[in-house]
Each structure stands twice: as structure tokens, then as C-alpha cells.
Short mmCIF file of all heavy atoms in Angstrom, two decimals:
data_model
loop_
_atom_site.label_atom_id
_atom_site.label_comp_id
_atom_site.label_asym_id
_atom_site.label_seq_id
_atom_site.Cartn_x
_atom_site.Cartn_y
_atom_site.Cartn_z
N GLN A 1 110.50 84.19 50.19
CA GLN A 1 111.15 83.14 49.43
C GLN A 1 112.21 82.46 50.32
O GLN A 1 112.88 83.10 51.11
CB GLN A 1 111.83 83.75 48.20
CG GLN A 1 110.88 84.50 47.27
CD GLN A 1 109.94 83.56 46.54
OE1 GLN A 1 110.21 82.38 46.45
NE2 GLN A 1 108.84 84.07 46.04
N VAL A 2 112.34 81.17 50.17
CA VAL A 2 113.34 80.44 50.95
C VAL A 2 114.20 79.60 50.01
O VAL A 2 113.74 79.10 49.00
CB VAL A 2 112.67 79.51 51.99
CG1 VAL A 2 112.01 80.31 53.08
CG2 VAL A 2 111.66 78.59 51.33
N ARG A 3 115.47 79.46 50.34
CA ARG A 3 116.39 78.72 49.50
C ARG A 3 115.98 77.25 49.39
O ARG A 3 116.19 76.62 48.38
CB ARG A 3 117.81 78.80 50.08
CG ARG A 3 118.30 80.23 50.29
CD ARG A 3 118.60 80.93 49.00
NE ARG A 3 119.01 82.30 49.21
CZ ARG A 3 118.87 83.24 48.31
NH1 ARG A 3 118.31 82.98 47.16
NH2 ARG A 3 119.29 84.46 48.55
N SER A 4 115.42 76.70 50.44
CA SER A 4 115.10 75.28 50.45
C SER A 4 113.65 75.01 50.09
O SER A 4 113.15 73.91 50.30
CB SER A 4 115.40 74.70 51.84
OG SER A 4 114.61 75.38 52.82
N GLY A 5 112.97 76.00 49.54
CA GLY A 5 111.56 75.84 49.19
C GLY A 5 111.35 74.82 48.09
O GLY A 5 112.25 74.45 47.35
N GLU A 6 110.11 74.35 47.97
CA GLU A 6 109.77 73.39 46.93
C GLU A 6 109.75 74.08 45.57
O GLU A 6 109.57 75.29 45.47
CB GLU A 6 108.40 72.79 47.23
CG GLU A 6 108.34 71.98 48.51
CD GLU A 6 106.95 71.41 48.75
OE1 GLU A 6 106.03 71.78 47.98
OE2 GLU A 6 106.79 70.62 49.69
N LEU A 7 109.90 73.28 44.54
CA LEU A 7 109.84 73.83 43.19
C LEU A 7 108.46 74.39 42.92
O LEU A 7 107.44 73.79 43.27
CB LEU A 7 110.15 72.74 42.17
CG LEU A 7 111.60 72.27 42.05
CD1 LEU A 7 111.69 71.13 41.04
CD2 LEU A 7 112.52 73.41 41.65
N ALA A 8 108.42 75.55 42.29
CA ALA A 8 107.14 76.16 41.93
C ALA A 8 106.43 75.34 40.87
O ALA A 8 105.20 75.24 40.85
CB ALA A 8 107.36 77.59 41.43
N VAL A 9 107.21 74.76 39.94
CA VAL A 9 106.66 73.93 38.88
C VAL A 9 107.46 72.63 38.84
O VAL A 9 108.65 72.64 38.50
CB VAL A 9 106.72 74.63 37.51
CG1 VAL A 9 106.24 73.69 36.40
CG2 VAL A 9 105.88 75.90 37.52
N THR A 10 106.83 71.53 39.20
CA THR A 10 107.47 70.23 39.17
C THR A 10 107.14 69.52 37.86
O THR A 10 106.26 69.94 37.10
CB THR A 10 107.00 69.36 40.34
OG1 THR A 10 105.59 69.09 40.16
CG2 THR A 10 107.21 70.08 41.67
N ILE A 11 107.82 68.42 37.60
CA ILE A 11 107.47 67.59 36.45
C ILE A 11 106.02 67.11 36.58
O ILE A 11 105.27 67.04 35.60
CB ILE A 11 108.43 66.39 36.31
CG1 ILE A 11 109.73 66.85 35.66
CG2 ILE A 11 107.81 65.28 35.47
CD1 ILE A 11 109.59 67.23 34.19
N GLY A 12 105.62 66.83 37.81
CA GLY A 12 104.22 66.43 38.03
C GLY A 12 103.25 67.52 37.62
O GLY A 12 102.19 67.24 37.06
N ASP A 13 103.60 68.78 37.91
CA ASP A 13 102.74 69.89 37.50
C ASP A 13 102.67 69.97 35.98
O ASP A 13 101.60 70.21 35.40
CB ASP A 13 103.29 71.21 38.06
CG ASP A 13 103.21 71.30 39.57
OD1 ASP A 13 102.22 70.81 40.14
OD2 ASP A 13 104.15 71.84 40.18
N ILE A 14 103.82 69.80 35.32
CA ILE A 14 103.84 69.86 33.85
C ILE A 14 103.00 68.73 33.26
O ILE A 14 102.29 68.92 32.26
CB ILE A 14 105.30 69.82 33.35
CG1 ILE A 14 105.98 71.15 33.68
CG2 ILE A 14 105.36 69.53 31.86
CD1 ILE A 14 107.46 71.20 33.34
N LYS A 15 103.03 67.58 33.89
CA LYS A 15 102.21 66.46 33.42
C LYS A 15 100.73 66.74 33.60
O LYS A 15 99.89 66.10 32.94
CB LYS A 15 102.60 65.18 34.15
CG LYS A 15 103.97 64.64 33.76
CD LYS A 15 104.31 63.37 34.53
CE LYS A 15 105.66 62.82 34.10
NZ LYS A 15 106.02 61.59 34.85
N ARG A 16 100.41 67.68 34.48
CA ARG A 16 99.01 68.04 34.72
C ARG A 16 98.66 69.38 34.04
O ARG A 16 97.74 70.07 34.45
CB ARG A 16 98.72 68.12 36.22
CG ARG A 16 98.90 66.79 36.94
CD ARG A 16 98.32 66.83 38.35
NE ARG A 16 96.89 67.02 38.32
CZ ARG A 16 96.26 68.14 38.64
NH1 ARG A 16 96.96 69.22 39.03
NH2 ARG A 16 94.95 68.23 38.59
N PHE A 17 99.39 69.72 33.01
CA PHE A 17 99.15 70.93 32.22
C PHE A 17 97.68 71.01 31.81
O PHE A 17 97.10 70.05 31.33
CB PHE A 17 100.05 70.89 30.99
CG PHE A 17 99.86 72.02 30.00
CD1 PHE A 17 99.98 73.34 30.39
CD2 PHE A 17 99.59 71.74 28.67
CE1 PHE A 17 99.83 74.37 29.47
CE2 PHE A 17 99.44 72.76 27.74
CZ PHE A 17 99.56 74.08 28.14
N ARG A 18 97.08 72.17 32.08
CA ARG A 18 95.70 72.47 31.70
C ARG A 18 94.66 71.61 32.43
O ARG A 18 93.51 71.54 32.01
CB ARG A 18 95.50 72.32 30.18
CG ARG A 18 96.12 73.46 29.39
CD ARG A 18 95.82 73.38 27.92
NE ARG A 18 96.16 74.66 27.27
CZ ARG A 18 95.35 75.35 26.48
NH1 ARG A 18 94.14 74.90 26.21
NH2 ARG A 18 95.74 76.49 25.96
N GLN A 19 95.04 71.02 33.56
CA GLN A 19 94.08 70.24 34.35
C GLN A 19 93.62 71.04 35.55
O GLN A 19 94.23 72.03 35.95
CB GLN A 19 94.72 68.92 34.79
CG GLN A 19 95.28 68.09 33.65
CD GLN A 19 94.29 67.86 32.52
OE1 GLN A 19 93.23 67.26 32.74
NE2 GLN A 19 94.61 68.33 31.31
N LEU A 20 92.53 70.61 36.15
CA LEU A 20 91.91 71.34 37.26
C LEU A 20 92.89 71.57 38.40
O LEU A 20 93.56 70.64 38.86
CB LEU A 20 90.70 70.56 37.77
CG LEU A 20 89.85 71.26 38.83
CD1 LEU A 20 89.21 72.53 38.28
CD2 LEU A 20 88.77 70.31 39.36
N ASP A 21 92.99 72.82 38.83
CA ASP A 21 93.84 73.24 39.96
C ASP A 21 95.33 73.05 39.69
O ASP A 21 96.14 73.06 40.63
CB ASP A 21 93.46 72.50 41.25
CG ASP A 21 92.03 72.83 41.70
OD1 ASP A 21 91.61 73.97 41.46
OD2 ASP A 21 91.37 71.95 42.27
N SER A 22 95.72 72.89 38.43
CA SER A 22 97.14 72.72 38.10
C SER A 22 97.90 74.02 38.28
O SER A 22 97.35 75.11 38.11
CB SER A 22 97.28 72.25 36.65
OG SER A 22 98.63 72.26 36.25
N LYS A 23 99.19 73.90 38.61
CA LYS A 23 100.07 75.06 38.64
C LYS A 23 100.45 75.50 37.22
O LYS A 23 101.14 76.50 37.05
CB LYS A 23 101.35 74.72 39.42
CG LYS A 23 101.15 74.57 40.92
CD LYS A 23 100.82 75.92 41.56
CE LYS A 23 100.75 75.79 43.07
NZ LYS A 23 102.05 75.53 43.68
N CYS A 24 100.00 74.73 36.24
CA CYS A 24 100.28 75.03 34.83
C CYS A 24 98.96 75.14 34.07
O CYS A 24 98.62 74.25 33.27
CB CYS A 24 101.16 73.94 34.23
SG CYS A 24 102.77 73.75 35.02
N PRO A 25 98.20 76.20 34.32
CA PRO A 25 96.94 76.38 33.58
C PRO A 25 97.21 76.72 32.12
O PRO A 25 98.35 76.92 31.70
CB PRO A 25 96.27 77.53 34.33
CG PRO A 25 97.40 78.30 34.93
CD PRO A 25 98.45 77.29 35.27
N GLY A 26 96.13 76.78 31.34
CA GLY A 26 96.26 76.99 29.91
C GLY A 26 97.02 78.24 29.53
O GLY A 26 97.75 78.27 28.54
N HIS A 27 96.84 79.31 30.30
CA HIS A 27 97.58 80.55 30.10
C HIS A 27 98.18 80.97 31.44
O HIS A 27 97.62 80.67 32.49
CB HIS A 27 96.67 81.66 29.54
CG HIS A 27 96.15 81.36 28.17
ND1 HIS A 27 95.03 80.57 27.96
CD2 HIS A 27 96.59 81.73 26.94
CE1 HIS A 27 94.81 80.48 26.65
NE2 HIS A 27 95.73 81.16 26.02
N PRO A 28 99.31 81.65 31.43
CA PRO A 28 99.97 82.00 32.69
C PRO A 28 99.08 82.84 33.59
O PRO A 28 98.41 83.78 33.13
CB PRO A 28 101.19 82.82 32.24
CG PRO A 28 101.42 82.41 30.82
CD PRO A 28 100.06 82.13 30.25
N GLU A 29 99.06 82.50 34.88
CA GLU A 29 98.22 83.21 35.84
C GLU A 29 99.07 83.71 37.01
O GLU A 29 99.67 82.93 37.75
CB GLU A 29 97.10 82.31 36.36
CG GLU A 29 96.09 81.91 35.30
CD GLU A 29 94.95 81.08 35.85
OE1 GLU A 29 94.62 81.25 37.06
OE2 GLU A 29 94.39 80.26 35.10
N TYR A 30 99.09 85.02 37.15
CA TYR A 30 99.76 85.67 38.27
C TYR A 30 99.14 85.22 39.58
O TYR A 30 97.92 85.08 39.67
CB TYR A 30 99.64 87.19 38.10
CG TYR A 30 100.15 88.03 39.24
CD1 TYR A 30 101.51 88.13 39.49
CD2 TYR A 30 99.27 88.76 40.05
CE1 TYR A 30 101.99 88.93 40.52
CE2 TYR A 30 99.73 89.56 41.07
CZ TYR A 30 101.10 89.64 41.31
OH TYR A 30 101.56 90.42 42.33
N ARG A 31 99.96 84.99 40.58
CA ARG A 31 99.59 84.55 41.93
C ARG A 31 99.31 83.05 42.01
O ARG A 31 99.40 82.48 43.08
CB ARG A 31 98.37 85.33 42.49
CG ARG A 31 98.67 86.80 42.73
CD ARG A 31 97.42 87.54 43.20
NE ARG A 31 96.99 87.08 44.53
CZ ARG A 31 97.43 87.57 45.67
NH1 ARG A 31 98.34 88.53 45.68
NH2 ARG A 31 96.99 87.10 46.83
N ARG A 32 98.99 82.40 40.90
CA ARG A 32 98.79 80.96 40.95
C ARG A 32 100.13 80.23 40.97
O ARG A 32 100.29 79.23 41.67
CB ARG A 32 97.95 80.48 39.76
CG ARG A 32 97.83 78.95 39.67
CD ARG A 32 96.99 78.53 38.49
NE ARG A 32 95.59 78.84 38.69
CZ ARG A 32 94.72 78.06 39.35
NH1 ARG A 32 95.14 76.91 39.87
NH2 ARG A 32 93.46 78.41 39.48
N THR A 33 101.08 80.73 40.17
CA THR A 33 102.35 80.04 39.99
C THR A 33 103.49 81.01 40.22
O THR A 33 103.57 82.05 39.55
CB THR A 33 102.45 79.45 38.57
OG1 THR A 33 101.27 78.68 38.30
CG2 THR A 33 103.67 78.57 38.43
N THR A 34 104.37 80.72 41.16
CA THR A 34 105.51 81.58 41.45
C THR A 34 106.37 81.76 40.20
O THR A 34 106.66 80.80 39.49
CB THR A 34 106.36 80.97 42.58
OG1 THR A 34 105.53 80.78 43.73
CG2 THR A 34 107.51 81.88 42.95
N GLY A 35 106.77 82.99 39.95
CA GLY A 35 107.59 83.29 38.79
C GLY A 35 106.81 83.87 37.63
O GLY A 35 107.41 84.39 36.68
N ILE A 36 105.48 83.80 37.70
CA ILE A 36 104.64 84.42 36.67
C ILE A 36 104.46 85.88 37.04
O ILE A 36 103.92 86.21 38.09
CB ILE A 36 103.27 83.73 36.57
CG1 ILE A 36 103.42 82.24 36.29
CG2 ILE A 36 102.40 84.41 35.52
CD1 ILE A 36 104.04 81.90 34.97
N GLU A 37 104.89 86.78 36.17
CA GLU A 37 104.83 88.22 36.46
C GLU A 37 103.47 88.83 36.15
O GLU A 37 103.13 89.89 36.69
CB GLU A 37 105.90 88.96 35.67
CG GLU A 37 107.33 88.56 35.98
CD GLU A 37 107.83 89.10 37.31
OE1 GLU A 37 107.05 89.72 38.05
OE2 GLU A 37 109.03 88.90 37.60
N ALA A 38 102.69 88.20 35.27
CA ALA A 38 101.41 88.78 34.87
C ALA A 38 100.54 87.70 34.25
O ALA A 38 101.04 86.77 33.62
CB ALA A 38 101.62 89.91 33.85
N THR A 39 99.24 87.82 34.45
CA THR A 39 98.28 86.94 33.78
C THR A 39 98.14 87.41 32.34
O THR A 39 97.79 88.56 32.08
CB THR A 39 96.92 86.98 34.48
OG1 THR A 39 97.07 86.49 35.82
CG2 THR A 39 95.90 86.13 33.75
N THR A 40 98.43 86.52 31.41
CA THR A 40 98.35 86.88 30.00
C THR A 40 97.55 85.83 29.25
O THR A 40 97.23 84.77 29.77
CB THR A 40 99.75 86.99 29.38
OG1 THR A 40 100.45 85.75 29.56
CG2 THR A 40 100.56 88.11 30.01
N GLY A 41 97.27 86.12 28.02
CA GLY A 41 96.46 85.24 27.18
C GLY A 41 95.69 86.06 26.17
O GLY A 41 95.87 85.89 24.96
N PRO A 42 94.81 86.98 26.64
CA PRO A 42 94.20 87.91 25.68
C PRO A 42 95.30 88.74 25.02
O PRO A 42 96.03 89.47 25.69
CB PRO A 42 93.30 88.78 26.57
CG PRO A 42 93.05 87.97 27.79
CD PRO A 42 94.31 87.18 28.00
N LEU A 43 95.45 88.60 23.73
CA LEU A 43 96.64 89.14 23.07
C LEU A 43 96.73 90.65 23.18
O LEU A 43 95.72 91.36 23.11
CB LEU A 43 96.65 88.69 21.61
CG LEU A 43 96.83 87.18 21.44
CD1 LEU A 43 96.70 86.77 19.98
CD2 LEU A 43 98.18 86.72 21.99
N GLY A 44 97.92 91.12 23.36
CA GLY A 44 98.20 92.55 23.51
C GLY A 44 98.24 93.01 24.95
O GLY A 44 98.88 94.03 25.26
N GLN A 45 97.57 92.29 25.84
CA GLN A 45 97.51 92.73 27.24
C GLN A 45 98.90 92.71 27.90
O GLN A 45 99.27 93.62 28.63
CB GLN A 45 96.54 91.86 28.03
CG GLN A 45 95.10 91.94 27.57
CD GLN A 45 94.53 93.34 27.71
OE1 GLN A 45 94.61 93.95 28.78
NE2 GLN A 45 93.94 93.85 26.64
N GLY A 46 99.66 91.64 27.64
CA GLY A 46 100.99 91.57 28.23
C GLY A 46 101.90 92.67 27.73
O GLY A 46 102.73 93.20 28.48
N CYS A 47 101.75 93.03 26.46
CA CYS A 47 102.55 94.14 25.92
C CYS A 47 102.27 95.42 26.70
O CYS A 47 103.19 96.13 27.11
CB CYS A 47 102.23 94.34 24.44
SG CYS A 47 102.81 93.00 23.37
N GLY A 48 100.99 95.71 26.89
CA GLY A 48 100.64 96.92 27.62
C GLY A 48 101.11 96.88 29.06
O GLY A 48 101.60 97.88 29.60
#
């Protein structure tokens, strides 16, 4: 991590929510977007 790094999620990314190759897919995806701790969506999985 670097202090001067680019934003992990920009307004442009938010505008591309749920679009192909977006940093903001329909459900959070680990490794795709910095700051996401776990891929979730199927209910109960994040709890476990």
C-alpha cells in the first residue's frame, strides 16, 4: 500500500456499478477491489 496510491473506488467506478470489469460488481469480490475483506452474496457465507 502507498500513501499516494489511486483511489480503490472512484466516482467513475461507482457510475459503472454492475458493469463489465467494474471495480463495483453486483456483490463484493475479494481481490477485485481493495478494501473488500471477503466475497459475499450467497447469504450466510459472510457470517461464517
Side-chain angles (χ1 to χ4, degrees):
Q1 302 290 341
V2 291
R3 305 288 178 205
S4 59
E6 296 180 353
L7 288 177
V9 175
T10 66
I11 280 290
D13 294 322
I14 288 175
K15 289 180 178 179
R16 297 192 65 253
F17 176 57
R18 286 185 167 231
Q19 305 308 299
L20 186 64
D21 297 327
S22 172
K23 289 291 185 69
C24 299
H27 295 84
E29 294 183 28
Y30 174 71
R31 293 177 66 87
R32 174 180 289 275
T33 309
T34 303
I36 303 295
E37 298 285 5
T39 298
T40 57
L43 294 174
Q45 297 298 309
C47 291

